């Protein structure tokens, strides 16, 4: 911890490769001293002044040779991204030049930054909490504007304020409970368990909504998984290829060509989608096909929504019945496709027992615009379009939130039935776990797991 607070770090903050400019960050108490050793301003303005931009040269201290002409921007603590003295050097975007400038900075008293160390310092210095840190990570990895907006909304701090408020309410109840237990002789007002039960119920209800928004946020951030489901040779792979605009899946007239799941990314409207082509559902003919069908069912379990594909030119059989039963068993939103409408139709209209169906031809590409529209409607109807309400959590934060909710539900149901010292234990666990969600009680090893996902210059 002392190392993080006292030394000065540097790293390239832009991707490698040729570009117009590259950016090198230097952060720490000696950031300005390091720059003074290698930077010569080209103007009369004194270096460094707070929040100023300087044009000048990076100089090799020994030879006096110019390594590059640069623009240097200064940020004085605590008014910087990291909360420390911070310098950003805009160099020409040639990696030979960038490497030389970084080398001179490191030789002048800075050390190479570790992955995510700039953001880690921002967290340690109180510039952001763990919910905002997670939003930064998600913003850097966003594949769609919806994912980016979701991260940007979280950077505004509303989820952080919610967790802090809930944690504060629980802490107040815990303090009152502990005081009545530990100091009964001081005439501290006794706990009204009826009032406590009602207030805990309200908090549980709010926290459940927050947890659901976190689960939905995780789905949106990772790409919504949509699985294509159907018996062999129903046309799943052709539909996948058409939606992707390229031949990703092998298509033949031989049933059972797809033996494994194929996953590809695409956009439907503003939403990042992971489309999964699965092995055809039927009674397996060999061990390889059996494994493929096991993976199909796993894909169904992991999917947000399903697309059932049926061959309209064939008479229905036991495999079609199996697919229809799987769609209904999964308990997830689904769309039914009657495929191959370019051929004579033999699949009865009443086979789907009143379920709405879309008529498509994967070969001709007709009707598939209705499929994308239907999937877009499913996303919006399930509340995933309201990205302002969604929450982004990392794996450790999700676990902590779940533990907090379980402890709080246990306390809520225990009011009036458990000893108050047992209620205090549950409330204490809920407070502690919520602190792990926003970083108020996070451990150092957890921080390591969180920040190792970041790039070096962030």
């Amino acid at each position: 911890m002392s190392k993080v607070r006292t030394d000065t770090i540097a790293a390239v903050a832009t991707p490698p490769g040729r570009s117009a400019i590259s950016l090198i960050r230097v952060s720490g108490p000696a950031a300005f001293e390091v720059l003074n050793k290698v930077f010569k301003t080209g103007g009369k303005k004194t270096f460094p002044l707070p929040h100023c931009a300087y044009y000048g040269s990076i100089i090799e201290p020994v030879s006096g040779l110019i390594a590059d002409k640069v623009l240097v921007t200064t940020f004085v603590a605590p008014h910087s991204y990291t909360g420390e003295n911070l310098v950003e050097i805009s160099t020409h975007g040639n990696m030979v030049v960038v490497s030389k400038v970084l080398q001179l900075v490191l030789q002048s008293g800075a050390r190479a930054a570790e992955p995510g160390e700039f953001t880690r310092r921002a967290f340690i210095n109180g510039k952001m909490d763990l919910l905002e840190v997670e939003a930064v990570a998600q913003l850097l990895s966003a594949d769609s504007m919806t994912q980016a907006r979701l991260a940007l909304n979280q950077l505004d701090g509303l989820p952080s304020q919610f967790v802090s408020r809930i944690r504060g309410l629980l802490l107040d109840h815990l303090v009152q409970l502990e005081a009545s237990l530990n100091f009964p002789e001081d005439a501290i007002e006794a706990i009204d368990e009826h009032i406590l039960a009602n207030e805990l119920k309200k908090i549980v209800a709010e926290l459940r909504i927050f947890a659901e928004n976190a689960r939905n946020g995780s789905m949106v951030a990772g790409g919504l998984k949509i699985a294509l489901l159907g018996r062999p040779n129903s046309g799943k792979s052709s539909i996948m290829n058409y939606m992707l605009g390229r031949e990703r899946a092998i298509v033949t007239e031989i049933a059972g060509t797809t033996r494994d799941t194929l996953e590809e990314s695409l956009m439907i409207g503003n939403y990042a989608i992971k489309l999964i082509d699965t092995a055809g559902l039927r009674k397996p003919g060999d061990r390889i096909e059996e494994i493929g069908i096991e993976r199909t069912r796993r894909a169904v379990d992991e999917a947000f929504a399903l697309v059932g594909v049926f061959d309209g030119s064939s008479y229905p059989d036991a495999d079609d019945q199996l697919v229809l039963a799987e769609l209904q068993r999964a308990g997830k939103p689904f769309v039914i496709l009657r495929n191959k409408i370019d051929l004579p139709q033999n699949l009865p209209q009443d086979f789907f027992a009143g379920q709405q169906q879309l008529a498509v031809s994967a070969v001709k590409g007709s009707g598939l615009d209705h499929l994308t529209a239907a999937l877009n409607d499913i996303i919006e109807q399930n509340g995933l379009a309201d990205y302002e309400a969604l929450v982004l959590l990392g794996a450790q934060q999700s676990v902590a939130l779940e533990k907090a909710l379980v402890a709080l539900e246990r306390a809520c149901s225990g009011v009036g039935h458990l000893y108050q010292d047992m209620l205090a234990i549950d409330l204490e666990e809920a407070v502690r776990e919520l602190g792990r969600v926003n970083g108020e009680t996070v451990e150092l090893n957890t921080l390591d797991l969180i920040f190792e996902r970041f790039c070096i210059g962030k």
Side-chain angles (χ1 to χ4, degrees):
M1 186 72 74
S2 60
K3 181 180 178 182
V4 171
R5 289 194 174 123
T6 59
D7 64 353
T8 296
I9 58 173
V12 180
T14 44
R18 295 182 184 273
S19 61
I21 60 171
S22 288
L23 188 73
I24 295 174
R25 272 181 167 165
V26 186
S27 181
F32 299 146
E33 288 83 345
V34 168
L35 263 291
N36 267 320
K37 295 177 182 178
V38 296
F39 177 63
K40 183 178 179 181
T41 179
K44 298 180 180 179
K45 190 163 51 178
T46 301
F47 179 87
L49 293 174
H51 305 94
C52 286
Y54 297 85
Y55 174 74
S57 304
I58 297 293
I59 307 291
E60 293 189 34
V62 177
S63 66
L65 295 176
I66 296 177
D68 194 19
K69 294 286 187 178
V70 300
L71 187 68
V72 170
T73 311
T74 58
F75 304 86
V76 176
H79 306 295
S80 70
Y81 179 77
T82 60
E84 304 172 323
N85 288 341
L86 181 80
V87 177
E88 292 184 345
I89 308 169
S90 298
T91 72
H92 288 91
N94 181 301
M95 288 311 297
V96 174
V97 173
V98 175
S99 297
K100 182 61 178 179
V101 173
L102 179 61
Q103 179 187 28
L104 293 173
V105 169
L106 296 176
Q107 290 173 349
S108 299
R111 70 164 172 85
E114 298 172 358
E117 191 168 1
F118 291 94
T119 303
R120 180 174 183 144
R121 291 188 176 205
F123 167 73
I124 289 172
N125 292 324
K127 302 298 290 186
M128 60 178 69
D129 64 16
L130 280 189
L131 288 167
E132 292 163 322
V133 166
E134 184 62 30
V136 171
Q138 296 289 352
L139 182 60
L140 293 175
S141 62
D143 293 320
S144 70
M145 199 59 222
T146 297
Q147 292 169 321
R149 285 173 181 165
L150 174 56
L152 288 168
N153 286 336
Q154 186 149 316
L155 279 174
D156 285 341
L158 291 180
S160 300
Q161 293 171 25
F162 171 83
V163 173
S164 293
R165 179 177 66 82
I166 293 295
R167 189 169 183 269
L169 289 174
L170 292 177
L171 196 56
D172 288 342
H173 288 305
L174 178 60
V175 168
Q176 187 179 4
L177 197 58
E178 292 279 11
S180 66
L181 287 169
N182 296 324
F183 306 104
E185 69 280 1
D186 293 340
I188 294 175
E189 185 178 350
I191 298 292
D192 187 323
E193 292 191 341
H194 179 72
I195 294 176
L196 177 61
N198 286 335
E199 293 191 4
L200 289 183
K201 286 178 183 177
K202 293 177 183 177
I203 293 174
V204 165
E206 287 190 76
L207 207 55
R208 282 175 179 161
I209 294 172
F210 184 83
E212 180 64 23
N213 287 336
R215 283 188 285 272
N216 289 340
S218 178
M219 285 195 295
V220 172
L224 296 170
K225 290 186 176 183
I226 296 177
L228 297 168
L229 198 63
R231 68 171 172 83
N233 215 24
S234 59
K236 302 183 304 300
S237 298
S238 296
I239 288 171
M240 181 180 201
N241 288 342
Y242 188 86
M243 292 181 72
L244 293 174
R246 58 189 174 87
E247 291 192 9
R248 172 62 178 89
I250 298 173
V251 177
T252 74
E253 69 281 359
I254 302 171
T257 302
T258 302
R259 293 291 190 102
D260 200 353
T261 55
L262 299 176
E263 183 175 306
E264 288 292 327
S265 300
L266 74 154
M267 297 294 297
I268 292 182
N270 294 320
Y271 308 103
I273 301 297
K274 289 186 177 178
L275 189 63
I276 305 170
D277 184 18
T278 65
L281 272 181
R282 66 175 175 182
K283 186 177 180 180
D286 54 45
R287 178 55 184 157
I288 296 175
E289 192 171 27
E290 184 179 350
I291 294 172
I293 292 173
E294 288 173 359
R295 294 184 179 181
T296 293
R297 289 202 162 92
R298 193 182 312 148
V300 169
D301 291 338
E302 294 175 354
F304 157 70
L306 306 173
V307 177
V309 183
F310 297 85
D311 182 353
S313 69
S314 299
Y315 291 101
D317 59 14
D319 294 337
D320 288 310
Q321 294 284 0
L322 180 63
V323 173
L324 192 59
E326 189 71 21
L327 291 173
Q328 295 167 339
R329 177 204 67 82
K332 298 184 178 186
F334 63 84
V335 177
I336 291 177
L337 296 187
R338 172 190 285 268
N339 191 25
K340 305 185 184 182
I341 60 168
D342 52 303
L343 301 176
Q345 297 296 286
N346 292 305
L347 185 65
Q349 288 290 337
D350 60 358
F351 173 74
F352 302 110
Q355 294 279 359
Q356 185 177 0
Q357 54 184 292
L358 299 178
V360 303
S361 170
V363 173
K364 303 287 186 180
S366 61
L368 290 177
D369 54 334
H370 298 302
L371 170 60
T372 56
L375 292 174
N376 193 81
D377 288 344
I378 285 174
I379 293 169
E380 294 180 353
Q381 289 167 7
N382 281 269
L384 300 182
D386 186 14
Y387 48 78
E388 292 184 0
L390 302 184
V391 180
L392 297 171
L393 296 182
Q396 293 81 16
Q397 293 167 296
S398 296
V399 171
L401 177 60
E402 188 61 32
K403 286 182 178 179
L405 192 51
V406 169
L408 193 53
E409 288 172 337
R410 192 166 56 237
C412 190
S413 61
V415 175
H417 305 288
L418 295 177
Y419 291 114
Q420 289 188 354
D421 56 347
M422 300 299 293
L423 294 178
I425 291 173
D426 288 333
L427 288 182
E428 184 179 4
E429 181 179 354
V431 168
R432 183 175 61 252
E433 295 300 333
L434 285 178
R436 289 181 174 136
V437 174
N438 64 3
E440 292 185 45
T441 56
V442 71
E443 295 90 354
L444 285 178
N445 61 339
T446 302
L447 288 181
D448 293 338
L449 293 172
I450 291 169
F451 288 106
E452 68 183 10
R453 297 177 299 147
F454 282 70
C455 55
I456 296 292
K458 196 64 178 177

